[in-house]
Amino acid sequence: MSQNNDTSVLKRWITHWDFRGLLVPVLLLLLWQYMSGRDASHAYAFVPLQQVWSSLKTLLASGELWVNLLGSLHRTTVGLLLGIVLGLLVGALMAISKIANTLIGPLYHSIRQVPILGLTPLIGLWMGNGEPAKVFIITLAAFFPVVLNTYEGLRQVDIQHAELAQVYQFNRRQYFWRMRLPAAIPSILTGFLHAVTFAWITAIGSELLFNAGAGLGNLMMTAEVGAHMDIILICAITVTILGVLMTQVVQSLSRRLLRWRPPQG
């Protein structure tokens, strides 16, 4: 009986995952390995996969990868959560208050045009090159897309929802919680997805620029100085995996919150 259950679970897992998506990555790995075996210059740029695997085991055994991974994951998570919370509050305030939109909107839309990493010298002068500066940059990176998507989602509510609210004689609070917010959730979740991507980009960028403390960006910088291309590749792959996992968390949250919607054909 247990064997049948295990087989059923395995079949569902195989059905759920489309393994055709692995075709391109596998071909790229084969191409990478081929390029690494051509000559010495290619072996420097395209590190043999067996060397990457050996370096990975060394980093794991020494604990160096874990320390830097946890450092990046902690500051990215903190900055991401702060950016999301603040972005939701500011975006909602701009959407429901014309006065707030008039006061905050022009400043917000002006600052968000400036690349976040372009603000790092100024932030460095204000806050130094320690942990607060890195978290602040990540928070800004997550803040901007969440504000924009929250604002747009709450503003672009279907006119039929407003008419339905009038029929049920909802007050402003009921209209917001029962109509506007549920209708805006898809847009807000899109902002979360963008926030995850921007948070990781700025996390690694801030670690490269503010080379102090544990972090994958710091490990990459040290590896670049020592010409350890295998370690740089390991760090890049690790960041990719962490970003994908965070994205999966947001997508799972999206499926749970939007389970009332009919499936798209």
Side-chain angles (χ1 to χ4, degrees):
M1 186 70 176
S2 177
Q3 185 175 1
N4 292 335
N5 290 336
D6 293 341
T7 304
S8 177
V9 170
L10 180 61
K11 287 181 179 180
R12 287 199 301 269
W13 185 80
I14 293 175
T15 304
H16 177 72
W17 290 97
D18 190 349
F19 290 95
R20 290 174 297 181
L22 296 176
L23 177 61
V24 173
V26 169
L27 290 176
L28 289 176
L29 287 175
L30 293 175
L31 178 62
W32 182 285
Q33 187 68 3
Y34 167 75
M35 296 296 291
S36 69
R38 294 191 61 184
D39 51 45
S41 61
H42 282 82
Y44 176 77
F46 301 93
V47 185
L49 296 180
Q50 60 269 25
Q51 182 178 339
V52 176
W53 176 248
S54 177
S55 298
L56 175 61
K57 291 191 293 184
T58 301
L59 289 173
L60 291 174
S62 66
E64 188 175 6
L65 181 61
W66 292 116
V67 170
N68 289 283
L69 184 154
L70 291 175
S72 292
L73 182 60
H74 176 264
R75 71 174 55 95
T76 302
T77 303
V78 171
L80 180 63
L81 292 177
L82 286 174
I84 286 176
V85 172
L86 294 174
L88 285 171
L89 293 175
V90 174
L93 184 61
M94 290 170 56
I96 63 179
S97 172
K98 292 183 178 180
I99 296 177
N101 189 30
T102 302
L103 294 175
I104 302 173
L107 179 62
Y108 163 78
H109 291 295
S110 298
I111 295 179
R112 77 182 182 89
Q113 305 301 325
V114 182
I116 295 297
L117 294 179
L119 296 174
T120 50
L122 182 61
I123 294 172
L125 288 174
W126 286 345
M127 308 179 69
N129 63 346
E131 195 70 13
K134 297 176 185 178
V135 173
F136 182 70
I137 293 173
I138 298 168
T139 300
L140 280 181
F143 172 78
F144 288 130
V146 174
V147 171
L148 184 61
N149 283 273
T150 301
Y151 172 78
E152 293 295 337
L154 290 172
R155 294 282 290 183
Q156 297 177 1
V157 178
D158 196 314
I159 189 63
Q160 293 180 350
H161 292 165
E163 294 173 351
L164 186 61
Q166 291 180 350
V167 172
Y168 283 98
Q169 297 181 346
F170 285 166
N171 56 35
R172 294 186 62 181
R173 179 178 298 180
Q174 291 173 322
Y175 175 53
F176 178 82
W177 288 106
R178 297 188 183 185
M179 292 291 184
R180 294 186 71 178
L181 184 59
I185 284 177
S187 179
I188 294 173
L189 291 172
T190 300
F192 288 3
L193 289 173
H194 292 165
V196 169
T197 301
F198 294 146
W200 274 109
I201 291 174
T202 52
I204 301 304
S206 66
E207 291 171 357
L208 291 172
L209 294 170
F210 299 148
N211 192 12
L216 293 171
N218 300 339
L219 184 59
M220 293 173 72
M221 180 66 73
T222 304
E224 182 185 8
V225 173
H228 296 298
M229 300 297 291
D230 47 350
I231 296 179
I232 295 176
L233 183 60
I234 290 170
C235 292
I237 293 174
T238 303
V239 172
T240 301
I241 293 173
L242 291 174
V244 169
L245 290 176
M246 279 193 172
T247 300
Q248 289 296 323
V249 171
V250 175
Q251 290 177 341
S252 297
L253 176 64
S254 177
R255 286 192 293 269
R256 178 175 294 273
L257 292 178
L258 301 177
R259 60 184 181 274
W260 52 269
R261 301 177 70 185
Q264 301 295 322

